[in-house]
């Protein structure tokens, strides 16, 4: 009798183990596992939720923007359909942590490639070249160059390279204000709590072109730095890096890259640089 019970318990355990495997239990941020369709379960990709034109979560829960289109294209090349993509918010200061902790497989979030970040994560790309600029109030004529920010209040987001670039190289006497997101900076700019917002021109153009912001702000039209955007991934994952690079090259070659630029940034009158050469991992 005891033997029967032990055998039954073993059988139950085996069934439970098979069930857990069939459900893809334990998969994280894009690990492959069995699914109803016999393919991969899902991939988790970090994007910005508050950058119109680049990465925006709309009130109805949808995601729009150039980065979203790039992420969707790359995911498809990796074997994932749109309904198998889970977008996770990736604020600037948390991007490396999200990758290192395995919370996301990729980060496609206006993520500038630089040596400091490459010490912690790897990149694929670059897939876009932006330039740092300033956003000021439409009626403000006192700021036409970076040096004009001395003694003025400059806003950017925590973890962004843009504000530090201005503070250390261009306007050391600027009063730097850092907030969690660009939306807070925009509110401060409109309310005259700050005098300028600095980040990449692609991001600023998206904000300025929003219906609620039309006529309120303007870009200074400066190219204060080069900002090559890359796709962040876990350090040492050369196989994934190679596959993502191949997807980015294909996106340019088949015209999908330019189509995404025109659809997302064209309405703002933004003149994008040509697609940059993919150099990471080579």
């Amino acid at each position: 009798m005891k033997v029967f019970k032990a055998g039954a318990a073993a059988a139950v355990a085996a069934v439970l183990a098979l069930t857990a495997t069939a459900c893809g239990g334990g998969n994280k941020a894009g690990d492959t596992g069995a699914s109803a369709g016999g393919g991969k379960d899902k991939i988790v990709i970090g994007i910005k939720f508050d950058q119109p034109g680049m990465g925006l979560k709309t009130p109805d829960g949808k995601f729009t923007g150039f980065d979203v289109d790039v992420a969707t294209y790359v995911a498809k090349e990796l074997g994932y359909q749109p309904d198998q993509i889970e977008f996770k918010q990736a604020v600037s200061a948390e991007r490396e942590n999200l990758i290192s902790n395995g919370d996301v497989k990729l980060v496609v979030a206006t993520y500038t490639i630089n040596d400091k970040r490459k010490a912690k994560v790897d990149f694929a790309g670059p897939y876009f070249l932006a330039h740092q600029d300033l956003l000021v109030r439409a009626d403000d004529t006192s700021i036409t160059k970076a040096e004009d920010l001395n003694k003025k209040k400059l806003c950017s987001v925590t973890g962004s390279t843009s504000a530090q670039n201005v503070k250390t190289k261009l306007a050391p006497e600027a009063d730097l204000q850092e907030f969690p997101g660009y939306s807070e900076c925009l509110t401060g700019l409109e309310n005259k709590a700050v005098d300028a917002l600095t980040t990449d021109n692609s991001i600023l153009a998206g904000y300025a072109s929003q219906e609620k912001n039309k006529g309120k702000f303007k870009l200074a039209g400066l190219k204060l730095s080069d900002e090559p955007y890359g796709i962040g991934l876990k350090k040492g994952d050369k196989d994934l890096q190679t596959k993502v690079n191949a997807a980015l090259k294909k996106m340019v070659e088949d015209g999908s890259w330019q189509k995404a630029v025109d659809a997302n940034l064209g309405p703002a009158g933004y003149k994008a640089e040509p697609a940059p050469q993919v150099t990471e991992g080579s």
Side-chain angles (χ1 to χ4, degrees), residues 52-258:
M54 296 303 292
L56 182 70
K57 183 177 182 180
T58 60
D60 59 0
K62 295 180 180 178
F63 299 95
T64 65
F66 178 72
D67 277 351
V68 174
D69 288 348
V70 170
T72 302
Y73 188 100
V74 169
K76 184 177 180 181
E77 291 300 304
L78 294 177
Y80 299 92
Q81 295 303 311
D83 62 355
Q84 292 175 294
I85 302 171
E86 178 185 332
F87 287 120
K88 187 178 184 70
Q89 186 172 22
V91 297
S92 294
E94 289 298 319
R95 289 176 294 201
E96 286 87 29
N97 289 335
L98 289 171
I99 294 170
S100 300
N101 294 339
D103 296 320
V104 300
K105 194 75 169 178
L106 304 170
V107 167
V108 191
T110 57
Y111 201 6
T112 297
I113 301 169
N114 62 38
D115 290 340
K116 183 179 179 181
R117 289 168 177 165
K118 287 170 70 172
K120 299 178 180 178
V121 301
D122 280 339
F123 285 94
Y127 65 91
F128 192 84
L129 180 60
H131 301 284
Q132 185 180 348
D133 201 353
L134 304 174
L135 191 70
V136 299
R137 288 181 290 277
D139 60 354
D140 189 345
T141 58
S142 67
I143 301 174
T144 58
K145 57 186 182 298
E147 292 79 5
D148 293 334
L149 291 170
N150 283 313
K151 307 294 186 183
K152 291 184 179 290
K153 292 182 179 179
L154 172 66
C155 191
S156 194
V157 301
T158 306
S160 170
T161 59
S162 301
Q164 294 302 328
N165 182 51
V166 172
K167 181 73 174 174
T168 58
K169 300 177 182 178
L170 303 170
E173 295 182 46
D175 181 6
L176 180 58
Q177 310 281 317
E178 291 185 292
F179 292 107
Y182 293 107
S183 299
E184 292 93 331
C185 282
L186 271 176
T187 300
L189 185 58
E190 183 175 3
N191 296 338
K192 299 186 178 182
V194 298
D195 300 300
L197 162 58
T198 188
T199 188
D200 306 343
N201 51 8
S202 56
I203 300 171
L204 297 176
Y207 282 121
S209 66
Q210 281 188 298
E211 192 64 37
K212 64 181 180 179
N213 293 330
K214 285 183 178 178
K216 294 180 180 179
F217 310 114
K218 64 182 179 183
L219 273 73
L222 308 177
K223 291 186 177 181
L224 303 177
S225 68
D226 292 335
E227 303 293 336
Y229 293 165
I231 296 181
L233 49 96
K234 188 177 285 289
K235 196 161 186 65
D237 195 339
K238 298 301 181 184
D239 180 59
L240 180 59
Q241 184 184 48
T242 299
K243 290 177 180 178
V244 174
N245 278 335
L248 292 174
K249 292 175 183 177
K250 182 178 178 181
M251 187 177 186
V252 174
E253 292 167 358
D254 69 14
S256 299
W257 184 91
Q258 189 61 53

